[in-house]
Amino acid sequence: MVDGTGIVTAAGGDSGNPVTFTSQSTNVCTSGGTNGSTITGLAAGTCTIVADQVGDDNYNPAPPAIQIFSIGKANQIVTIAPCPNIVVGGTCILSATGGGSNNPIIFDSMTPGICACSGTNGSTLTGLAAGICDVSAYQAGNDDYDAGGGHLDVIVTGTCLADPLTINGATFGPGTHTRASQTSIATQGSVMVQTGANVTFRAPFHRYRPGLRVATGAVFRAQTGAVACSAAARTPAPAAPSASASAAGAAVATAPAAAPLPFTGMDALPPWIQERLAARGIDRQAMAQALLDPQGQWLLFETPQGINPADRNGTSDIYRLDLLDERLALLSRAPSGAAGNGPSRYPAADALGDWVVFQSEANDLVSDDDNGVSDIFLHEVPFRTTRRLTATAADQASAHPALDAAGQDLLYDRQHRDGRRQIVADTLWGGVPAVPLGLTRDGTGIAVDSHHPAISADGRFVAYLTGKTGGGGTSTCRIHLGDRDSDRSEELPCPAEVEAASDAVRPNFSADGAQLQWYFPGEDIPVQVYNPLLTVPVGVVP
């Protein structure tokens, strides 16, 4: 490829003289090094190398030999320089290094409700609201270089915080500026108060480093005392679950009872959400699965569309669209910010949309993922971190995660080496070991294949499909339902539609657990099965 090098070799005649190599297309490639054997790509195109060997007293020169090969385009890597945290109304000048195309690097905000990019090539970043600002950078390619992209997160804080506030590398221009913290204020790096600026810092404690400069004609006040913010906003990174919340069986967060609403037919999405997707250039018909917050605050979906500039893997990825601040986040991404190197599918989430689990064949979402199979991953939205939940399942593919509304109890199916699957119950918090559910063989020794689990919003009911293949090769499909409170269970025959597409369905309990719904790809209306384990009040006909 362009800017790359390679070594060419050739066998010559008995004269023993060296074979020399020469480029006949010096605008595309050059030859150098020992006897010209090191070929360097200069531009995309066809590289022609001629090999010669001179003769001696006993041998004539060898006839020239020609080797032709292609020089491909080189990749461009865009690296955005870190930007200090900014406050609402504050700015940061973005910069980045790119590749050899020398095209300008264009910056854009992926969270237009939190920050905006303006000025030359979008390099001026302005905070609009407290939150995590997602900045993308794009550099176009040319005849010799592919396009490249990058990604940067910048924290935008309010002007009054409950947390300690650090003013890092800021410039206060003419006008009135107030910053306050209920805890403390400190400066770091070069902080400039320009002529005409009137700046007030309020906090119980202050610490100012030597980089603070106040110009002639500027006013700077440091007021020490108790501060009460009208809305005690915190830096947008919620605290990790407390020790008590991480104990086995404890709820991680107070979640609404309503779990996310699944969609496999995207025409069934509310019209206002369809319009929102269209406005962002998101092709809803390319979306395979989606989960919608019942309060309309967020949408989680799977799509092969490369919406984020860092998504160039050409396969399915998981996105989360915040419908309040317009933040669109790529969740199935590697630590570098690029989309994972394999397909990510089948998202599930808690009722708050903070804990998102999904299956992925990518092996670069976390380090040390070398088992070569699909795993279940958890993306913690508040912390923007991803961890692998099935790290101990070496060589056993895991898929089809289901999560309760509290984000506590997780189900998925794990494939054994003989192809059979078994349901596994796990917890996201508390370190409780994962346990298998159901049988791998029935009482007669016939293998049981259990897959595609569901869990009710309150975590009480579980359901999954089972299949058995008898001696005559006939497969039977059954729905297994379990009540975790009473340890009761029931088995029902699969509806014909479910049996015909048992590996493509997505099960989901209704909000009250009374119905088990089966969603099919591209279909708006699910097939519903009554839950026989739910106690029905007197006078209610199921």
Side-chain angles (χ1 to χ4, degrees), residues 66 107 150-151 174 230 289 329 346 374 405 413 456 534:
I66 296 177
F107 300 94
H151 166 88
S230 57
Q289 301 195 45
Y346 213 90
S374 171
D413 58 56
S456 60
L534 185 67

Side-chain angles (χ1 to χ4, degrees), residues 258-269:
L261 304 174
F263 290 85
T264 50
M266 300 308 149
D267 289 338
L269 286 169

